[in-house]
Amino acid sequence: MNYRSLQAIKRDLKLGKVTCQALVSDYLTRIEKEKHLNAFLEVWGDEALAQAKGIDEKIQKGTAGKLAGMVIGIKDNLCYKGHKVTGSSKILEGFESLYNATVVERLIAEDAIIIGRCNCDEFAMGSSNEKSAYGKVLNPHDNKRVPGGSSGGSTAAVAANLCLAALGSDTGGSIRQPASFCGVVGMKPTYGKVSRYGLLAYASSFDQVGPLTNNIEDAALIVEVMAGKDEYDSTLSDKPIPDYSIEYKKVDTKKLRIAYLKDCVEHTGLDPEIRAHLEKTIDALKKQGHVVEPASFPLTDYAVPSYYVLTTAEASSNLSRYSGINYGYRSPNATDLESTYKKSRTEGFGTEVKRRIMLGTFVLSSGYFDAYYSKAQKVRRLFSEQTEAILKDYDLILLPSTPGPAFLFGQNDLDPVKMYLEDIFTVQANITGLPAISLPLGKHSNGMPFGVQLMGKRHDETTLFAFSDYLMNIPT
Ligand code: GLN
């Protein structure tokens, strides 16, 4: 079976050509065959089959939900009651969720089938999935290359057709960057659109959950199911949530005005083939009669430094809950309270997580607070003001997703700054909280896919989906 959209699955379910049980068995066979990718840390096969049986019955009765037929993987930082969740960290090894993340709850309520838990960088910190305590994930297009991160397992799973869709989380690009590297659609909703309840927190003012899919319609449907007010997350907007999967199809995309970020397209760090592809896309859009104009955004080079000051500060606070006392790993070598804290954290956390906790603690320390944290907050405000100013004149912003295609294992692993610079084009959407998507439109001469990124207006996912769908279908 090679279904790449829920629409195709629904059509065949209706015609009786396939059942949810057959679909799940098929995915399970492929997961087993592609085990070497290490995309799943755990597969809930029997449970998924049992759910499928129940949903097949609902389909017969005509009572099935919107997502009936959708088999989903979830990133290992989302709580699913009674199931393990570790943030791909040793410090949470064996820990079981006590409740459902709101997003998980809402997907299940619409009859999605959750097939397993996907590998990721430890606590979603990374751009290559090399930072998981449970081994790296391989890129399905070339096993010598990284799938991207931190949602590398979720993305590789969708790219290798091990599930129809997957959930990731995006704090600085962790959905869009791997989507670019693996050739799938990856979308980060507006900050405050999707509940973070039950998402292991990394940097709370940046984190959002979003979908990885093969097409826009599936992404829109998943966001419409997940989004909206939740009493457990006070940062959510109370704007009503449209049926994105229906509404985006009504948008007249011809009238949309597009800005492209000149400073990004001309950036010296950008792979020349990706630059050429973007220029071709811009020309193709102009030929179709669109207004596509350059906009200046000179702050791009400040994106990565301010992102890493702010997110490590938040991480140092969020991760203090892993103390060896309440839950998770407790060092057997500890002798008293203080050594319990120290040894549990020393032995439980990986190097990258420790680096960020220390960096975050440093930028928040009294002597350096003004020089780093407070300054980065001011830069954050400038980012929002200048990006919103562009979006006053234009409906969408076009920019690269990643500076290059998927890199080789080990290439950036020893140099954190090199690794952090991978996030240069994705963090703007998180710093500003705007919605953004990576579309699998490019193909590098080395055979690897790469993405094109669109950023939209706050809470206007409808236009973002509409133009994405249009872009996925125009010849360039
Ligand atoms: N690569 C970025 C980081 O390491 C993004 C991570 C994310 O979005 N979760 O922080």
Side-chain angles (χ1 to χ4, degrees):
M1 288 183 210
N2 191 20
Y3 290 108
R4 293 301 179 127
S5 73
L6 185 61
Q7 204 181 43
I9 290 175
K10 278 191 167 162
R11 188 191 54 220
D12 283 2
L13 281 169
K14 212 168 171 182
L15 293 172
K17 282 194 185 164
V18 75
T19 60
C20 291
Q21 290 175 85
L23 270 174
V24 170
S25 313
D26 188 54
Y27 284 123
L28 290 174
T29 311
R30 240 180 340 264
I31 291 173
E32 190 54 38
K33 218 175 106 213
E34 303 290 337
K35 233 178 162 160
H36 62 286
L37 295 177
N38 202 21
F40 281 96
L41 292 177
E42 198 180 0
V43 180
W44 300 308
D46 291 342
E47 205 181 328
L49 282 168
Q51 280 168 5
K53 187 161 179 273
I55 295 165
D56 282 331
E57 285 161 14
K58 281 192 184 177
I59 292 171
Q60 289 285 323
K61 284 192 246 151
T63 58
K66 275 186 189 180
L67 298 181
M70 186 176 266
V71 177
I72 281 197
I74 57 172
K75 185 172 179 177
D76 185 26
N77 62 355
L78 287 164
C79 294
Y80 181 13
K81 191 175 177 179
H83 298 75
K84 287 191 184 115
V85 60
T86 71
S88 295
S89 177
K90 192 180 163 199
I91 213 158
L92 278 180
E93 193 160 6
F95 178 77
E96 268 188 20
S97 300
L98 300 171
Y99 56 86
N100 279 334
T102 299
V103 292
V104 168
E105 184 108 11
R106 290 186 183 173
L107 290 184
I108 295 174
E110 288 295 342
D111 289 330
I113 297 168
I114 298 179
I115 198 161
R117 175 163 68 90
C118 296
N119 202 347
C120 59
D121 284 301
E122 186 176 0
F123 288 113
M125 296 174 186
S127 308
S128 68
N129 225 298
E130 292 166 289
K131 308 291 186 194
S132 164
Y134 304 101
K136 58 192 182 191
V137 176
L138 311 186
N139 189 312
H141 294 273
D142 176 352
N143 292 175
K144 293 189 297 302
R145 292 179 186 271
V146 305
S150 61
S151 313
S154 303
T155 316
V158 175
N161 199 17
L162 311 183
C163 47
L164 184 67
L167 293 190
S169 65
D170 192 311
T171 304
S174 277
I175 292 176
R176 291 161 289 146
Q177 188 253 17
S180 173
F181 282 11
C182 294
V184 302
V185 171
M187 197 264 181
K188 179 197 88 76
T190 306
Y191 184 81
K193 181 116 293 189
V194 173
S195 173
R196 289 176 292 109
Y197 179 69
L199 166 71
L200 306 188
Y202 159 18
S204 311
S205 76
F206 293 73
D207 300 340
Q208 275 292 284
V209 177
L212 289 141
T213 60
N214 298 294
N215 60 66
I216 302 303
E217 192 178 21
D218 288 356
L221 192 60
I222 291 174
V223 176
E224 109 192 11
V225 167
M226 296 195 302
K229 270 201 90 58
D230 174 17
E231 60 175 314
Y232 297 117
D233 180 351
S234 61
T235 58
L236 288 178
S237 147
D238 48 19
K239 282 194 189 323
I241 304 297
D243 285 336
Y244 295 119
S245 61
I246 298 171
E247 293 304 316
Y248 84 76
K249 293 176 185 158
K250 299 181 189 160
V251 176
D252 181 2
T253 50
K254 276 273 169 272
K255 294 205 185 99
L256 299 176
R257 293 166 56 83
I258 317 299
Y260 64 90
L261 298 186
K262 215 166 148 276
D263 309 80
C264 292
V265 177
E266 287 169 4
H267 203 277
T268 48
L270 184 63
D271 181 286
E273 286 187 38
I274 299 189
R275 178 180 305 120
H277 177 268
L278 267 169
E279 286 164 349
K280 232 171 89 189
T281 307
I282 292 166
D283 284 346
L285 285 172
K286 282 184 185 159
K287 267 198 214 113
Q288 301 282 323
H290 285 279
V291 173
V292 191
E293 289 169 351
S296 159
F297 188 78
L299 292 176
T300 298
D301 282 335
Y302 299 96
V304 168
S306 43
Y307 167 83
Y308 278 93
V309 169
L310 295 170
T311 53
T312 54
E314 293 188 26
S316 70
S317 161
N318 274 328
L319 271 62
S320 64
R321 71 191 65 179
Y322 307 107
S323 57
I325 303 292
N326 297 316
Y327 42 71
Y329 177 78
R330 178 179 299 171
S331 172
N333 309 316
T335 47
D336 57 10
L337 182 64
E338 194 168 325
S339 70
T340 303
Y341 289 148
K342 279 191 181 159
K343 289 195 193 301
S344 303
R345 292 161 68 81
T346 303
E347 294 160 22
F349 285 135
T351 314
E352 181 60 26
V353 172
K354 285 179 194 158
R355 177 183 293 127
R356 295 196 189 195
I357 292 173
M358 288 193 282
L359 198 60
T361 308
F362 174 74
V363 299
L364 288 174
S365 60
S366 61
Y368 294 96
F369 184 88
D370 286 339
Y372 295 106
Y373 185 74
S374 187
K375 191 172 249 167
Q377 287 285 33
K378 288 176 191 156
V379 175
R380 187 174 200 180
R381 186 165 42 85
L382 289 178
F383 260 78
S384 291
E385 285 171 2
Q386 295 194 16
T387 313
E388 303 262 10
I390 298 173
L391 287 168
K392 273 215 170 73
D393 294 331
Y394 300 92
D395 298 290
L396 294 158
I397 295 175
L398 180 71
L399 71 168
S401 299
T402 49
F407 47 88
L408 295 164
F409 284 108
Q411 192 173 311
N412 294 333
D413 206 24
L414 297 175
D415 182 348
V417 175
K418 246 173 105 191
M419 188 73 98
Y420 296 170
L421 282 168
E422 280 298 315
D423 305 330
I424 184 159
F425 302 126
T426 46
V427 293
Q428 187 174 355
N430 305 81
I431 294 174
T432 57
L434 296 171
I437 194 164
S438 178
L439 306 170
L441 295 175
K443 182 101 184 168
H444 201 270
S445 59
N446 69 4
M448 298 307 287
F450 62 83
V452 167
Q453 192 181 183
L454 283 174
M455 204 162 24
K457 291 187 181 174
R458 200 171 297 280
H459 293 295
D460 188 5
E461 275 75 3
T462 306
T463 304
L464 185 63
F465 285 131
F467 199 72
S468 297
D469 198 49
Y470 171 76
L471 210 51
M472 295 270 283
N473 293 301
I474 59 161
T476 51

